[in-house]
Amino acid sequence: MNCRRCDRKASVHMRQHKLALCKEHYLEWIPEQTARFIKKYEMFAHDEKILVAVSGGKDSLSLWHILIKLGYQADGLYLGLGIDEGINYSHESQRLTEEFAASHNLKLHIVDIEKEYGQPIPVIAERSHRGHGKPCAVCGLAKRHEMNRIARDLGYDVLATGHNLDDEAAVLFGNTLNWSSEYLLRQGPVLPGTAGLARKVKPLCRFYEREMTAYAIMSGIEYIYEECPFADGSQSIFYKESLNQLETARPGAKLIFYLNFLEAKKSGKLFLEKNVELANLHPCPRCGQPTSTPDQCSFCRMIEKTQTETG
Ligand code: Q46
Ligand code: ZN
Ligand code: ZN
């Protein structure tokens, strides 16, 4: 098949879009589409300061690469989680992130959880007895807390993450299986900011994972191939595999699943109470972030608990 734009041999075939492109035009198409999504979902403007959460993986580094290409002011934030299993995941992902930032002359903030809170994620997880032996619940909580803290403290308007369509469809699938209406209400390409919470955006949410892999490889981005060792056997991987089976039988199914959800939500046709209050929030006395739990936020409570156990 030939490239739709220039007639050279195509390198990427996207069945779900009925589109084939050569390398050169693919590397134009992805940023063009991203720009279209940023505009369509009103994610941010050119004069806003963007903080990109980078993990060293293909999605977040590609997102940073694309935003810079599109002329946005985007700095990076890398969170050192202290996960040293396997290939020493944290060390390797930090190295690749730093290399990317240096070679593209970009500003990168690095926050090391152990330096900030005295213990790495796996230890916090163990001591706080959360998450049934896996650090993921604690890790997710800490990542959200820290990204928000840095965005707020350093005056960024918006926090961008590299979630792709496979990620979003898997989350949607899980939320639908459980009919978690509160999560469904909050899911989307943009989560508006509130006092103390930065606006969160996902500019890659309409790209298939394989499209992002192709973009990263063709752009020559060096990223960490391995997933975090704790991702193994997770529910989200199981959902992704199930959706992949569906996608194989019905190309485009994943995209339709996600886009029709967004459409239905926008038009108010979902069986969701539209005005479920986003729980009553008050500032955490320790870190100041809005929280719905009485007294301190869940993150600060967790840290305090682990610290009292240590000392
Ligand atoms: S980084 Fe953290 Fe993930 Fe690793 S410990 Fe679990 S949540 S799997 S996206
Ligand atoms: Zn072409
Ligand atoms: Zn707090």
Side-chain angles (χ1 to χ4, degrees):
M1 214 186 289
N2 289 344
C3 170
R4 180 182 297 172
R5 293 194 178 172
C6 73
D7 240 21
R8 262 178 295 185
K9 197 173 166 310
S11 313
V12 188
H13 304 260
M14 290 169 285
R15 272 170 82 194
Q16 72 284 359
H17 301 308
K18 299 191 179 61
L19 178 66
L21 293 169
C22 69
K23 175 176 167 183
E24 184 194 327
H25 286 118
Y26 186 70
L27 291 179
E28 281 175 17
W29 182 80
I30 290 278
E32 279 167 19
Q33 291 295 101
T34 312
R36 193 166 78 82
F37 304 151
I38 292 171
K39 200 163 159 219
K40 180 177 168 69
Y41 299 112
E42 299 175 353
M43 293 187 180
F44 42 75
H46 272 279
D47 59 0
E48 289 187 294
K49 274 179 72 193
I50 305 161
L51 184 64
V52 186
V54 276
S55 67
K58 63 181 187 319
D59 302 301
S60 54
L61 290 181
S62 295
L63 172 60
W64 204 4
H65 190 259
I66 293 166
L67 293 180
I68 296 302
K69 224 183 206 179
L70 293 173
Y72 286 102
Q73 323 166 41
D75 298 340
L77 167 63
Y78 177 87
L79 294 176
L81 306 169
I83 295 172
D84 55 10
E85 316 277 296
I87 47 153
N88 197 337
Y89 175 74
S90 285
H91 183 267
E92 186 59 9
S93 57
Q94 180 169 342
R95 183 183 72 78
L96 291 165
T97 306
E98 285 178 323
E99 270 181 26
F100 179 88
S103 64
H104 293 80
N105 231 337
L106 300 172
K107 184 165 171 186
L108 174 67
H109 306 283
I110 297 181
V111 172
D112 191 279
I113 297 287
E114 185 168 3
K115 278 191 203 131
E116 294 287 329
Y117 300 100
Q119 43 204 341
I121 291 291
V123 175
I124 301 180
E126 216 180 286
R127 291 191 181 146
S128 64
H129 310 290
R130 285 176 175 235
H132 315 284
K134 270 213 178 213
C136 295
V138 165
C139 183
L141 174 62
K143 284 197 277 197
R144 284 192 299 277
H145 187 274
E146 291 302 284
M147 286 191 248
N148 197 60
R149 178 174 72 86
I150 302 296
R152 178 195 67 186
D153 290 358
L154 302 182
Y156 286 92
D157 299 296
V158 52
L159 186 67
T161 54
H163 294 94
N164 59 40
L165 176 66
D166 292 50
D167 299 320
E168 291 304 292
V171 169
L172 178 59
F173 192 36
N175 287 341
T176 310
L177 286 177
N178 296 313
W179 288 118
S180 314
S181 44
E182 233 183 278
Y183 286 120
L184 285 167
L185 265 180
R186 289 165 61 86
Q187 190 178 356
V190 179
L191 188 62
T194 51
L197 282 178
R199 182 187 337 144
K200 295 197 177 102
V201 300
K202 300 168 181 170
L204 307 182
C205 66
R206 289 179 56 163
F207 293 118
Y208 280 76
E209 170 158 24
R210 59 168 185 271
E211 293 171 352
M212 292 322 300
T213 308
Y215 181 85
I217 293 173
M218 288 182 186
S219 305
I221 295 172
E222 273 208 62
Y223 63 91
I224 185 159
Y225 294 105
E226 287 79 7
E227 293 246 23
C228 168
F230 294 111
D232 223 28
S234 69
Q235 200 158 52
S236 93
I237 292 200
F238 176 70
Y239 291 152
K240 282 184 182 175
E241 286 167 359
S242 312
L243 287 168
N244 283 341
Q245 284 186 15
L246 188 66
E247 180 78 23
T248 309
R250 283 176 42 195
K254 231 183 265 181
L255 189 60
I256 291 169
F257 179 52
Y258 184 61
L259 291 186
N260 285 3
F261 160 72
L262 294 183
E263 232 0 88
K265 195 168 127 170
K266 198 170 139 207
S267 65
K269 283 188 200 136
L270 274 194
F271 286 26
L272 299 169
E273 276 186 57
K274 279 187 80 184
N275 41 13
V276 173
E277 283 273 326
L278 288 177
N280 250 331
L281 300 178
H282 67 89
C284 163
R286 179 162 161 162
C287 73
Q289 289 198 28
T291 173
S292 58
T293 53
D295 198 36
Q296 293 189 7
C297 76
S298 342
F299 179 82
C300 290
R301 257 195 305 169
M302 172 178 80
I303 291 293
E304 198 172 80
K305 186 162 175 233
T306 60
Q307 284 169 344
T308 46
E309 280 200 14
T310 338

